[in-house]
Amino acid sequence: KKYFDPNEMEVLRANPTIKQGDEEVPTSKKNANTRRMELLKYMQTLLTDCCKQHADQMLLSRCGCKVLREVYITFPSKELSDAIVEACDNGDDDDEDMGEYLSVFEHPVGQVSIKNLIICDSDDKSEGDKNMTLTSALYTKYEGTLVDDIGSSNRGAFVLAAMIDSDSSGAVMKEIVEGKKEIKERIKQCKDASKPCAGFEALIKALK
């Protein structure tokens, strides 16, 4: 409703009609599901290409991340997952000159975006789809440095906790267990400095 006027909203509803005289006439003879499938087929390449090219911006946008999530769910592909992982390296450099650079895993919006995408991986999928998930792509990219590169911050720890839940292979869990002592030390440091540590605590809980 924020981005469309009432007439556009009327057309976008499940069974749109137009008024001809005093009569409401359907805009299409096809049923809603058929129209939806035809539109999705036409839009698939356009939507996926847009998300791959602009994943870095979409991850940091409250509106953009919702679009990215829907495309990720509807049109899953290894290429899209890889593009999202590549975007994680960019972070938010708008304030880099002021020394306020944030990685996506530390960014207040980016961290939630990544976590919500990973949660989608927890849904039931065939074994053949496992190599297309964001969880798999992140593990491939950061294998051996998960705790240091993703879970170095309290916000990033939430991402790792989600990865543990969505990784059916157990590889993520195995690596993070090895860094459990370091994570507990970070919790202590946060508490001593009166800083948030809920992410680290959630990560420790996910290991049990």
Side-chain angles (χ1 to χ4, degrees):
K1 292 181 179 180
K2 181 179 179 181
Y3 299 105
F4 297 95
D5 66 36
N7 291 331
E8 291 171 326
M9 291 296 295
E10 185 69 17
V11 172
L12 290 172
R13 66 188 175 91
N15 296 294
T17 60
I18 57 174
K19 198 164 186 177
Q20 292 185 350
D22 296 329
E23 185 180 359
E24 294 287 341
V25 180
T27 58
S28 174
K29 295 180 180 180
K30 300 176 182 178
N31 63 51
N33 189 57
T34 299
R35 293 199 309 272
R36 177 180 179 277
M37 295 305 295
E38 290 178 347
L39 182 59
L40 280 176
K41 184 177 180 180
Y42 172 75
M43 294 292 291
Q44 179 173 356
T45 300
L46 296 172
L47 288 171
T48 53
D49 284 350
C50 176
C51 288
K52 285 188 289 186
Q53 292 172 20
H54 303 288
D56 55 343
Q57 298 174 52
M58 298 176 82
L59 285 171
L60 306 183
S61 164
R62 295 185 188 280
C63 295
C65 68
K66 293 178 182 179
V67 175
L68 183 60
R69 181 176 180 273
E70 290 303 317
V71 174
Y72 178 76
I73 294 171
T74 308
F75 306 121
S77 70
K78 187 176 186 302
E79 291 75 20
L80 179 55
S81 293
D82 288 344
I84 295 171
V85 171
E86 184 178 348
C88 290
D89 283 339
N90 295 335
D92 183 8
D93 58 2
D94 288 344
D95 297 320
E96 191 173 9
D97 293 338
M98 300 175 65
E100 297 181 7
Y101 171 85
L102 290 177
S103 77
V104 171
F105 306 119
E106 297 176 275
H107 193 278
V109 176
Q111 170 264 138
V112 176
S113 301
I114 290 291
K115 184 182 69 175
N116 287 338
L117 288 168
I118 291 170
I119 290 172
C120 297
D121 295 343
S122 300
D123 297 338
D124 291 335
K125 294 182 179 179
S126 64
E127 287 301 318
D129 290 332
K130 296 299 182 182
N131 66 340
M132 297 195 304
T133 65
L134 179 59
T135 301
S136 175
L138 283 169
Y139 180 71
T140 299
K141 170 77 172 180
Y142 296 104
E143 181 180 1
T145 62
L146 290 176
V147 175
D148 290 334
D149 288 341
I150 298 180
S152 60
S153 67
N154 181 59
R155 287 172 178 159
F158 281 115
V159 175
L160 284 186
M163 286 181 66
I164 289 175
D165 290 338
S166 65
D167 176 36
S168 59
S169 72
V172 175
M173 167 81 81
K174 182 179 179 181
E175 179 176 332
I176 297 176
V177 164
E178 295 175 357
K180 188 174 182 180
K181 183 177 179 181
E182 181 180 350
I183 297 167
K184 287 185 174 181
E185 179 60 29
R186 289 179 183 175
I187 293 175
K188 182 178 181 302
Q189 292 173 354
C190 287
K191 288 184 175 180
D192 289 344
S194 298
K195 293 182 178 180
C197 60
F200 293 123
E201 291 176 336
L203 182 54
I204 290 295
K205 185 177 180 180
L207 296 175
K208 297 178 180 179

